[in-house]
Amino acid sequence: MVNADIEIETLAEFDQAVARGSLGGYRIQSLNLLERTFALLSADTSATVFLGCAMEPDAAAKVRADGALVFPPVPDLPFNPYRGLLYTADELFAGLPQGYEATPDALAYAWFQETTSDGDVLSSMLRSIHDDAISDALDEHLAGARVVGVMGGHAMARGATDYRGAAELGRTLARSGLTVATGGGPGAMEAANLGAYLAPAPDEMLPQALELLAKAPSFVPSVSDWARAAFAVRELWPAGGDSVGIPTWFYGHEPPNAFAGHIAKYFANATREDGLLARSNAGVVFLPGAAGTVQEIFDNATPNYYSSRGEPTPMVLVDRRHWTEQLPAWPLLQALARGRAMESRIALVDSVAEVPAALAAMS
């Protein structure tokens, strides 16, 4: 297993390794090394792996002669398959003043749509490399964190009472020291990330933010207007708290929200969903949702049922009527849990206000 300590993801880390005398054995991810030619020519690069690093031809020839493995940058891609860090909202929404269609997020989705239909093995490989790099960056970012997942549907509109409740929940969880992780999209997911973003702010900032956001209640019909409203809130309070969003280009019609401080965006939805739930080591909260949220409930219940990830993690379903009458997932979850270790780790509550106490009781 490769130790993360041998990964170099910034030029500062590269320079520090050179100063120590050797680059041998390091994994160097997606750095522009065009101005580091002398260092590459003089340093030991035996058993080094270069992932998408720009180099001068003589430097590339030398490191290959040393025995380094070089994966060159891939031209004309709207994303970097070798990236060493998670995305930010600023990065994904760059170019938003010209419209969402011009952003890297939209361009990556357009590429995804095009390449999934042509069957090109190179495109498939690039997607897999990208998603593996994202998983690696996500693990590094969350190392040592107590992560609580907040799941819910994308249809929850800004300005709705439920949206405000989800935002208050995200704020409360973040203020308690937990790292909030969501599916990274609109609706309930955005609300929870918004709450975590405003956790360091005075309480009166949330009503102000909700008022601004309500002017563009949904990403339909205009993702551009929806995203611009979010960035207006960020300008109002730029010192936002951190949280994680884990969206997917598989659901490309759902844009990522701008309130997650770090965004792990995937091409493969199955990898994204399993990764989000597996990393929620402090429990998962399921807000009212539809088919996607139901799937997430039982994706999370299965390893808890078999204890395949160790001790079961808490699961809290919010809105008794929704989960017992409209979409009766709770009775089935109860039946699965009965007599097993997970039985004491599931809870059904009426409102988001009850969630923190429910999680605490099961921790």
Side-chain angles (χ1 to χ4, degrees):
M1 183 177 180
V2 174
N3 189 327
D5 290 343
I6 67 171
E7 294 177 3
I8 294 177
E9 296 158 344
T10 67
L11 287 174
E13 292 173 345
F14 178 89
D15 293 339
Q16 289 168 7
V18 170
R20 289 193 293 269
S22 175
L23 293 170
Y26 281 98
R27 277 69 169 134
I28 304 175
Q29 287 182 255
S30 191
L31 297 185
N32 184 341
L33 300 177
L34 293 174
E35 296 184 0
R36 299 296 195 277
T37 299
F38 178 78
L40 292 170
L41 292 176
S42 57
D44 171 29
T45 54
S46 58
T48 306
V49 179
F50 293 89
L51 298 166
C53 297
M55 289 182 274
E56 295 289 356
D58 53 343
K62 182 266 181 186
V63 301
R64 285 192 176 97
D66 277 354
L69 188 60
V70 179
F71 293 80
V74 182
D76 303 322
L77 279 180
F79 65 96
N80 177 5
Y82 306 112
R83 63 180 301 119
L85 303 173
L86 298 177
Y87 291 101
T88 65
D90 288 331
E91 181 181 0
L92 289 173
F93 284 104
L96 183 62
Q98 288 73 51
Y100 172 70
E101 295 74 16
T103 66
D105 187 66
L107 294 173
Y109 177 53
W111 177 89
F112 179 50
Q113 285 187 300
E114 180 182 345
T115 59
T116 50
S117 61
D118 64 19
D120 183 2
V121 67
L122 175 61
S123 299
S124 176
M125 182 184 72
L126 291 171
R127 291 194 297 270
S128 296
I129 291 172
H130 169 274
D131 285 2
D132 189 66
I134 288 294
S135 290
D136 181 66
L138 185 59
D139 284 337
E140 291 174 5
H141 178 69
L142 293 177
R146 295 179 61 234
V147 182
V148 59
V150 180
M151 312 296 163
H154 68 265
M156 186 183 289
R158 295 165 168 175
T161 302
D162 287 349
Y163 185 97
R164 179 178 186 135
E168 290 173 345
L169 172 64
R171 185 175 64 180
T172 300
L173 294 173
R175 286 177 174 177
S176 73
L178 295 168
T179 296
V180 173
T182 78
M189 297 171 280
E190 180 188 57
N193 286 129
L194 168 66
Y197 181 86
L198 293 178
D203 286 355
E204 58 267 23
M205 281 300 306
L206 182 56
Q208 293 179 47
L210 295 173
E211 184 177 352
L212 277 173
L213 293 172
K215 296 176 182 177
S218 173
F219 63 96
V220 178
S222 173
V223 175
S224 299
D225 290 346
W226 176 84
R228 288 174 185 138
F231 279 97
V233 170
R234 289 181 30 159
E235 288 177 12
L236 188 66
W237 182 263
D242 192 26
S243 66
V244 173
I246 308 181
T248 174
W249 280 294
F250 183 80
Y251 295 133
H253 62 286
E254 293 183 21
N257 76 72
F259 296 112
H262 291 82
I263 300 174
K265 190 151 192 180
Y266 287 88
F267 288 107
N269 185 49
T271 305
R272 165 251 190 173
E273 285 192 342
D274 183 67
L276 171 55
L277 294 168
R279 291 173 176 86
S280 297
N281 53 21
V284 185
V285 180
F286 298 92
L287 301 173
T293 310
V294 172
Q295 178 180 337
E296 288 162 349
I297 289 173
F298 293 103
D299 279 348
N300 195 52
T302 300
N304 280 349
Y305 180 88
Y306 290 111
S307 298
S308 56
R309 293 182 185 140
E311 189 176 349
T313 51
M315 300 175 65
V316 182
L317 278 60
V318 181
D319 191 333
R320 189 176 304 273
R321 182 175 177 275
H322 184 85
W323 294 120
T324 60
E325 298 178 25
Q326 291 177 261
L327 293 174
W330 174 251
L332 179 53
L333 183 62
Q334 271 191 309
L336 283 171
R338 192 168 296 122
R340 306 187 78 87
M342 68 180 287
E343 187 171 18
S344 62
R345 295 300 184 92
I346 63 172
L348 176 66
V349 298
D350 290 309
S351 70
V352 292
E354 300 171 75
V355 169
L359 282 173
M362 294 186 290
S363 295

